[in-house]
Amino acid sequence: EVQLVESGGALVQPGGSLRLSCAASGFTFNIFSMNWVRQAPGKGLEWISYITGSSSAIYYTDSVKGRFTISRDNAKNSLYLDMNSLRVEDTAVYYCARVALAGRGYFDLWGRGTLVTVSS
Amino acid sequence: DIVMTQSPLFLSVTPGQPASISCKSSQSLLHSDGKTYLYWYLQRPGQSPQVLIYEVSSRLPGVSDRFSGSGSGTDFTLKISRVEAGDVGIYYCLQGINFPRTFGQGTKVEIK
């Protein structure tokens, strides 16, 4: 089955760290660019990071630059998000999302998300 | 950063009636390759988002032809010709021409 499954979400204190994982299955992971998108409780979608299949290009939204790091291990069919210096405003469901091939650019496959709660 | 502005933010629609959502971008989404990188997503209650439309007006396989996208440059519209109960949720536009990618605020569609 073609799917993405996020894990690693937890309750963490402000200033803490967390690593999210996204396990891909059912497709050739290394040819797809990937993203992390988050959704704060009751709020809209916010794109936060992108990585190409070879990790040759990486982008972040300003609010997480210097605190979050996206990476991938193609041998393990896995995408990661290392989150440091967490803030209350980072509380959200974090989704990984695949970018469609053929230059279409849209996110054609999403996981179900993992909840990160930053609170003291 | 490109700002995506949707309107209205809330729609209450009678089944069988049409609905229309506007999305305006602060910069043109027309790329030098001739494509316009504007997408529409639907997030049904309790679910992950799913893409409906790419490059302004191209429907994904399996998406009902009741959904249509139009527009150019900075002004875009998603239309639902006859709203059904299964269309409830929050609709988002997304621009794919620049990083950071940016979503509209979302338009919540409910059935009257």
Side-chain angles (χ1 to χ4, degrees):
Chain A
E1 182 184 1
V2 174
Q3 64 177 354
L4 297 169
V5 179
E6 302 93 337
S7 61
L11 171 64
V12 61
Q13 291 190 334
S17 299
L18 208 56
R19 170 176 255 209
L20 304 184
S21 300
C22 170
S25 58
F27 62 96
T28 305
F29 180 66
N30 62 10
I31 66 174
F32 287 89
S33 298
M34 298 292 296
N35 298 269
W36 286 100
V37 176
R38 69 183 178 185
Q39 187 169 36
K43 301 297 185 182
L45 301 170
E46 179 187 20
W47 173 86
I48 55 172
S49 189
Y50 164 96
I51 186 170
T52 54
S54 63
S55 303
S56 59
I58 287 174
Y59 297 94
Y60 300 97
T61 193
D62 282 350
S63 63
V64 308
K65 273 182 193 172
R67 300 188 302 123
F68 291 8
T69 302
I70 191 172
S71 63
R72 62 192 296 160
D73 184 336
N74 289 337
K76 295 183 178 179
N77 290 332
S78 292
L79 175 73
Y80 304 103
L81 186 68
D82 288 297
M83 309 164 70
N84 297 311
S85 304
L86 281 162
R87 305 168 180 167
V88 170
E89 56 265 34
D90 294 319
T91 295
V93 173
Y94 285 73
Y95 297 98
C96 58
R98 186 182 77 174
V99 179
L101 293 177
R104 301 294 187 207
Y106 56 84
F107 308 161
D108 66 342
L109 179 68
W110 297 64
R112 301 188 70 169
T114 188
L115 176 62
V116 173
T117 303
V118 185
S119 175
S120 54
Chain B
D1 298 1
I2 297 176
V3 177
M4 305 295 287
T5 304
Q6 288 182 230
S7 63
L9 299 185
F10 181 78
L11 269 178
S12 184
V13 188
T14 300
Q17 293 301 301
S20 180
I21 300 169
S22 169
C23 175
K24 297 182 188 297
S25 58
S26 60
Q27 298 174 215
S28 176
L29 303 186
L30 174 62
H31 194 274
S32 56
D33 64 7
K35 298 178 183 178
T36 300
Y37 291 98
L38 185 281
Y39 317 111
W40 288 100
Y41 289 82
L42 166 60
Q43 186 175 30
R44 294 188 171 96
Q47 295 187 17
S48 303
Q50 63 176 103
V51 60
L52 300 175
I53 303 278
Y54 68 95
E55 293 170 21
V56 180
S57 59
S58 296
R59 261 191 316 273
L60 271 289
V63 174
S64 170
D65 60 5
R66 296 181 297 103
F67 292 90
S68 63
S70 63
S72 64
T74 61
D75 286 3
F76 306 96
T77 302
L78 176 71
K79 292 183 179 177
I80 312 173
S81 59
R82 300 173 307 280
V83 172
E84 298 179 355
D87 301 334
V88 299
I90 304 176
Y91 291 79
Y92 297 92
C93 57
L94 168 67
Q95 64 83 13
I97 195 171
N98 280 353
F99 288 100
R101 301 292 193 237
T102 43
F103 288 92
Q105 316 97 299
T107 296
K108 186 173 184 178
V109 172
E110 74 158 27
I111 299 295
K112 278 184 182 175

